[in-house]
Amino acid sequence: MEQVREKAYAKVNLGLDVTGRREDGYHLVSMVMQTVGICDDIVVYKTKDPNISLDIDYGGVHLANPLSAGDDNLCAKAARVINERLGIQHGYFIHLTKRIPVAAGMAGGSSDAAAVLRAINRLENAGLSTEELQELGVSLGADVPYCILGGTMHAGGIGEVLSPMKPFDQVPILVAKPPEGVSTAEVYHALDALEEIQHPDIQAIRKAVEDRDVEGLANCMGNVLMDVTLPKHPIVGTIRDKMLAGGAVGSMMTGSGPTVFGLYKTDEDCRKAAEMIRAAGICETVIATRTIADITR
Ligand code: ATP
């Protein structure tokens, strides 16, 4: 086999709490992670030379700040990490079709890294287990271990302690990202400076998700990082309010933002809300999709 394709899916956080800080500065989190039907495509080709090169296709969309396609791209980093682990000398050409909004709280970079690890494991017939790929992944980013498997999971520790949950599959979800990007590191830094933090009830969120109780989930959903991002990016609140006014059962920011998602009873409700948000002209990306349980489909 000389080339392998993988899909790299985006996630949203149905719940996000920060519970402390490790001595090395990493934040301890308690998050309910959910894959959604937005993905990047990755094709990895073996090359004879030892270089790892990358080509990024934005599907004709013009990005104000395109990603670096150099050694610092998480795809290239992931390829280097797994090659080192496997003692492989040759390189790769990676073609990335980027659709997941960047710096948006949707783990796009982490998911690309996870997809490259899965791809090279297959391409080289290396036989690394899921756990081994996750161990490699955590050195690239705290969300990478989750992105190796995706689906519905609770993530503890710094994000790498994973507990699978009952799949919260095929729920209509609207994802809307305003033009600005947000730096995850800056948001965590600003969170440390807050005097008071409103912690969401992650156990209640887990229960509502596992009971597939969308209305119950809407009542208890919470993201502690919203207290930081919302005052700096009031558009987050505007989008959430529009989603709620347009029929969302619940709406919240994902990750460090600024992307906002809404949960809907039907695909039709979700599509109508997408049209309404698009017509408001305040978002760069508006995608009506569904939650996904299995990233291998
Ligand atoms: P998270 O939800 O995990 O905090 P995010 O969605 O906020 O992530 P990403 O889109 O993953 O943010 O990107 C964060 C930064 O990572 C980007 O600003 C970019 O500099 C860097 N990066 C490197 N490689 C990639 C990649 N393949 N895709 C996206 N970002 C990448």
Side-chain angles (χ1 to χ4, degrees):
M1 203 172 0
E2 295 303 311
Q3 71 181 65
V4 156
R5 281 172 189 275
E6 280 283 335
K7 284 190 188 312
Y9 281 97
K11 61 87 181 157
V12 296
N13 297 97
L14 298 173
L16 195 163
D17 195 11
V18 177
T19 54
R21 253 182 109 174
R22 282 199 325 204
E23 277 183 6
D24 59 8
Y26 276 97
H27 288 84
L28 296 166
V29 293
S30 177
M31 311 189 285
V32 177
M33 318 284 277
Q34 177 61 54
T35 300
V36 297
I38 302 170
C39 68
D40 294 343
D41 284 328
I42 284 177
V43 191
V44 182
Y45 302 83
K46 266 189 205 180
T47 56
K48 290 206 173 71
D49 67 82
N51 299 326
I52 291 161
S53 57
L54 179 71
D55 170 54
I56 310 177
D57 174 0
Y58 295 100
V61 178
H62 174 76
L63 251 70
N65 297 305
L67 285 172
S68 150
D71 285 350
D72 54 340
N73 191 288
L74 281 160
C75 292
K77 284 190 180 172
R80 272 202 307 279
V81 161
I82 189 165
N83 258 15
E84 242 164 61
R85 166 74 162 75
L86 299 174
I88 287 172
Q89 304 300 325
H90 69 77
Y92 305 97
F93 170 68
I94 302 171
H95 184 80
L96 166 64
T97 305
K98 192 78 201 159
R99 299 191 197 89
I100 303 173
V102 175
M106 303 197 76
S110 303
S111 193
D112 290 348
V116 167
L117 294 179
R118 291 195 306 266
I120 294 180
N121 192 35
R122 279 172 52 213
L123 193 56
E124 304 294 345
N125 272 320
L128 294 182
S129 66
T130 298
E131 291 73 22
E132 286 170 318
L133 291 177
Q134 288 173 329
E135 272 166 35
L136 282 179
V138 76
S139 68
L140 298 159
D143 282 347
V144 180
Y146 162 74
C147 293
I148 295 284
L149 275 181
T152 312
M153 285 202 201
H154 178 264
I158 61 165
E160 88 293 20
V161 181
L162 299 167
S163 316
M165 292 170 51
K166 237 191 241 170
F168 189 65
D169 195 14
Q170 301 300 319
V171 176
I173 185 166
L174 176 62
V175 170
K177 182 192 168 284
E180 51 258 69
V182 160
S183 152
T184 304
E186 278 172 27
V187 170
Y188 274 96
H189 194 66
L191 182 79
D192 292 336
L194 286 186
E195 276 179 12
E196 217 178 297
I197 295 177
Q198 299 292 326
H199 293 280
D201 183 347
I202 295 291
Q203 287 318 319
I205 296 169
R206 280 179 83 156
K207 182 167 185 324
V209 168
E210 296 215 301
D211 291 347
R212 219 188 152 75
D213 174 8
V214 181
E215 278 177 18
L217 173 61
N219 289 332
C220 62
M221 253 181 349
N223 176 352
V224 81
L225 301 180
M226 221 164 137
D227 289 347
V228 175
T229 305
L230 188 61
K232 287 189 187 146
H233 301 275
I235 194 165
V236 166
T238 309
I239 300 168
R240 180 198 51 195
D241 294 347
K242 281 194 186 295
M243 284 195 186
L244 291 172
V249 184
S251 174
M252 193 175 81
M253 189 183 87
T254 177
S256 48
T259 304
V260 178
F261 67 87
L263 300 171
Y264 294 81
K265 284 201 177 112
T266 65
D267 291 325
E268 182 60 19
D269 288 354
C270 191
R271 271 196 299 272
K272 278 192 188 147
E275 279 166 31
M276 183 265 290
I277 301 272
R278 269 188 213 112
I282 52 174
C283 285
E284 186 180 74
T285 312
V286 181
I287 301 171
T289 182
R290 285 183 179 185
T291 57
I292 285 194
D294 182 359
I295 63 167
T296 57
R297 265 199 309 233

